[in-house]
Amino acid sequence: MFKSSITILFICFTAPFLFAQHINIDKKTLSFLTTQEKVYVVFVQDSLLMIDDRLEIEFIQKMREKISNRNPTEDARNWISAYKKNKNETWPEVFVAQLNEKLEENKTAPRFEIDNTDAVYTMKVTPTWMYFGYDAGIIDRPAKVTLQIYFYETNNPSDVIFTTEISRAMAKYNKQDGDGEGAGPSLNRMRKAYAMAGYKFAKALKRVGN
């Protein structure tokens, strides 16, 4: 009876995590990837982004007030500036780098490039939800990110060939410098979530052509 209760509890605890990690892939629809050397990657950041279950604009305002209440106002400005740089540059670069690194061993996989507008096909990535996690010493929670993925011909962006979602990709637990709390939520924790999203997506794309 006790073992059964433990088993049920384990399944209930892990099922949402396993479900969130599944990435839907249509091997037939995405078969065009096996004939391409390069795919252009564009991150679109103007969607309705939710952060810690708040709209991004509300989250930024909350961070501005929270940091300013405990630290100099300049610290709030610096964190917000660093957040925007990470969102628009660092995290997309980490996602693509991890995606390519994991796909290197797959001979039929293309290389994904942020700056290659000459590629026949484009992959659009739209972040829709982020959770920064926290590090409270004894208890910590990793960051998570959800990304919507769209494939289309570069010259015909209105005709989406395939779309899927990387749902709540969870970073590795907080073990590195920069994972703890500073003047604001750790940007490094979110970087690791984007890296995990790239890793998970690469594993899913490996099914294409197999």
Side-chain angles (χ1 to χ4, degrees):
M1 181 66 180
F2 179 74
K3 284 187 176 181
S4 298
S5 299
I6 293 296
T7 302
I8 292 171
L9 181 62
F10 177 77
I11 292 173
C12 291
F13 178 79
T14 59
F17 173 79
L18 295 173
F19 179 78
Q21 298 302 303
H22 177 73
I23 301 174
N24 180 48
I25 291 294
D26 187 324
K27 295 194 294 183
K28 183 177 180 180
T29 303
L30 291 173
S31 61
F32 66 87
L33 291 176
T34 63
T35 65
Q36 304 302 306
E37 292 185 4
K38 312 286 185 181
V39 171
Y40 175 44
V41 181
V42 57
F43 270 73
V44 177
Q45 305 279 8
D46 59 356
S47 65
L48 190 65
L49 176 61
M50 300 289 291
I51 306 178
D52 289 358
D53 296 326
R54 291 179 174 84
L55 290 174
E56 182 182 29
I57 189 171
E58 297 172 347
F59 175 81
I60 293 299
Q61 181 59 31
K62 178 188 175 184
M63 289 301 104
R64 179 182 286 110
E65 295 172 357
K66 183 176 180 180
I67 296 171
S68 296
N69 286 338
R70 301 179 180 179
N71 303 275
T73 303
E74 183 180 359
D75 287 355
R77 289 197 297 266
N78 289 341
W79 186 89
I80 293 170
S81 177
Y83 161 76
K84 291 179 179 178
K85 179 178 175 60
N86 274 265
K87 185 186 79 166
N88 293 307
E89 298 178 24
T90 305
W91 297 335
E93 290 170 358
V94 165
F95 172 82
V96 172
Q98 188 64 50
L99 176 62
N100 285 324
E101 181 180 334
K102 185 63 180 175
L103 285 175
E104 278 184 356
E105 57 200 64
N106 191 331
K107 295 181 180 179
T108 62
R111 183 166 183 82
F112 292 84
E113 298 183 346
I114 291 178
D115 57 354
N116 192 345
T117 58
D118 294 329
V120 176
Y121 293 95
T122 292
M123 180 177 76
K124 182 176 75 172
V125 183
T126 303
T128 58
W129 180 85
M130 295 195 298
Y131 167 68
F132 271 95
Y134 58 87
D135 190 332
I138 298 176
I139 302 175
D140 60 73
R141 291 292 181 269
K144 300 177 185 178
V145 65
T146 293
L147 305 172
Q148 293 286 338
I149 307 290
Y150 306 85
F151 285 97
Y152 53 82
E153 291 186 16
T154 304
N155 293 329
N156 190 16
S158 61
D159 187 11
V160 175
I161 300 171
F162 181 75
T163 182
T164 191
E165 180 181 72
I166 306 171
S167 179
R168 304 198 173 201
M170 186 172 74
K172 294 181 179 179
Y173 272 81
N174 310 328
K175 301 294 183 183
Q176 300 177 352
D177 290 342
D179 285 348
E181 306 306 317
S186 169
L187 302 174
N188 189 57
R189 286 201 301 264
M190 188 57 67
R191 178 192 63 77
K192 293 195 296 182
Y194 270 79
M196 183 58 70
Y199 175 85
K200 292 288 185 181
F201 192 48
K203 286 186 66 176
L205 287 181
K206 282 185 174 184
R207 302 201 299 266
V208 178
N210 291 335

